[in-house]
């Protein structure tokens, strides 16, 4: 059985004192806490799935059983088409678990009314701007963030290359729309230099 996260775990992950965590999650205003510290605590809370009863009641009451999907402001037509394909594929699993799925075409970082946000092909700057506005789990999909606070799902390009090498058994070119996320683009080029 998985051990439930404690306030000490949150403090350790956020790099702050237990008192600071308590002030942040209880919304006490009698102690001045910098915004950057408050954000680190809330991200650690989400990362560990820590939810003391008063916090859980107040926080999750504002969020419907909804999963939001965001894409980059720099998405082109083909990337938007890929997003629609992803939404159609993902929607069945979402509905089977009694959640709803919403695609947010507005690209500005803003407060979301969702329990989680799937960030599809966002640049690092866009991802962190969205994270600074929302204290919900963010999932980086097809974007490289490499931050232990956030979830990240990326293809295994070495495995894709091995399968393509075996399938084609001759020269081929990997073709993709240029990703908004520079780190993701580099992970493609590291395996497929002529992409």
């Amino acid at each position: 059985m998985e051990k439930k996260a404690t306030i000490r775990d949150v403090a350790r992950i956020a790099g702050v004192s237990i008192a600071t965590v308590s002030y942040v999650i209880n919304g006490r205003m009698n102690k001045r806490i910098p915004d950057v510290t408050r954000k680190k605590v809330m991200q650690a809370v989400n990362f560990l799935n820590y939810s003391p009863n008063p916090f859980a009641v107040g926080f999750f009451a504002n969020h419907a059983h909804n999963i939001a999907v965001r894409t980059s402001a720099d998405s082109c037509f083909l990337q938007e088409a890929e997003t629609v394909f992803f939404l159609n594929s993902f929607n069945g699993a979402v509905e089977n678990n009694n959640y709803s799925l919403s695609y947010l075409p507005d690209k500005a970082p803003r407060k979301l009314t969702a329990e989680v946000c799937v960030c599809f092909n966002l640049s690092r700057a866009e991802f962190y701007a969205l994270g600074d506005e929302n204290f919900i789990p963010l999932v980086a999909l097809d974007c490289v963030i490499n931050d232990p606070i956030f979830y990240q799902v990326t293809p295994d390009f070495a495995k894709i290359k091995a399968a393509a090498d075996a399938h084609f058994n001759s020269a081929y070119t990997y073709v993709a729309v240029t990703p908004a996320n520079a780190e993701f683009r580099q992970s493609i080029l590291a395996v497929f230099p002529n992409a």
Side-chain angles (χ1 to χ4, degrees):
M1 189 167 170
E2 192 174 294
K3 182 185 166 207
K4 185 174 167 97
T6 68
I7 195 169
R8 290 183 192 281
D9 298 326
V10 173
R12 181 178 46 78
I13 293 288
V16 298
S17 70
I18 294 171
T20 300
V21 172
S22 177
Y23 279 114
V24 170
I25 64 174
N26 292 313
R28 293 187 194 151
M29 303 307 285
N30 62 350
K31 182 175 180 184
R32 182 109 175 113
I33 297 173
D35 197 41
V36 67
T37 301
R38 184 177 58 84
K39 289 176 183 176
K40 283 187 348 187
V41 169
M42 294 306 293
Q43 289 169 340
V45 163
N46 283 316
F47 178 71
L48 294 171
N49 199 25
Y50 175 75
S51 58
N53 288 338
F55 175 70
V57 169
F59 182 72
F60 289 111
N62 297 327
H63 299 287
H65 276 50
N66 185 39
I67 297 174
V69 176
R70 292 290 298 267
T71 58
S72 175
D74 296 329
S75 291
C76 70
F77 173 75
L78 291 174
Q79 288 165 328
E80 292 295 332
E82 184 180 21
T83 302
V84 171
F85 178 78
F86 167 74
L87 291 169
N88 285 333
S89 301
F90 190 45
N91 193 51
V94 169
E95 285 181 347
N96 288 342
N97 288 287
N98 298 320
Y99 279 78
S100 62
L101 187 61
S102 59
Y103 173 60
L104 306 170
D106 173 23
K107 309 298 186 190
R110 64 176 172 88
K111 201 71 145 164
L112 303 176
T113 54
E115 287 188 46
V116 65
C117 183
V118 176
C119 302
F120 194 56
N121 187 36
L122 261 62
S123 69
R124 180 179 283 276
E126 289 172 317
F127 185 88
Y128 280 111
L130 187 62
D132 285 346
E133 289 296 320
N134 294 277
F135 303 113
I136 60 175
L138 299 181
V139 178
L141 179 62
D142 283 0
C143 47
V144 175
I145 301 302
N146 290 336
D147 187 327
I149 294 292
F150 300 106
Y151 303 97
Q152 178 176 301
V153 180
T154 53
D156 184 342
F157 288 110
K159 190 173 182 179
I160 293 169
K161 183 176 186 326
D165 289 347
H167 176 77
F168 292 112
N169 204 18
S170 64
Y172 62 89
T173 302
Y174 182 90
V175 178
V177 177
T178 303
N181 184 275
E183 295 80 2
F184 187 65
R185 181 175 189 265
Q186 289 306 313
S187 68
I188 294 170
L189 292 173
V191 178
F192 298 101
N194 297 323

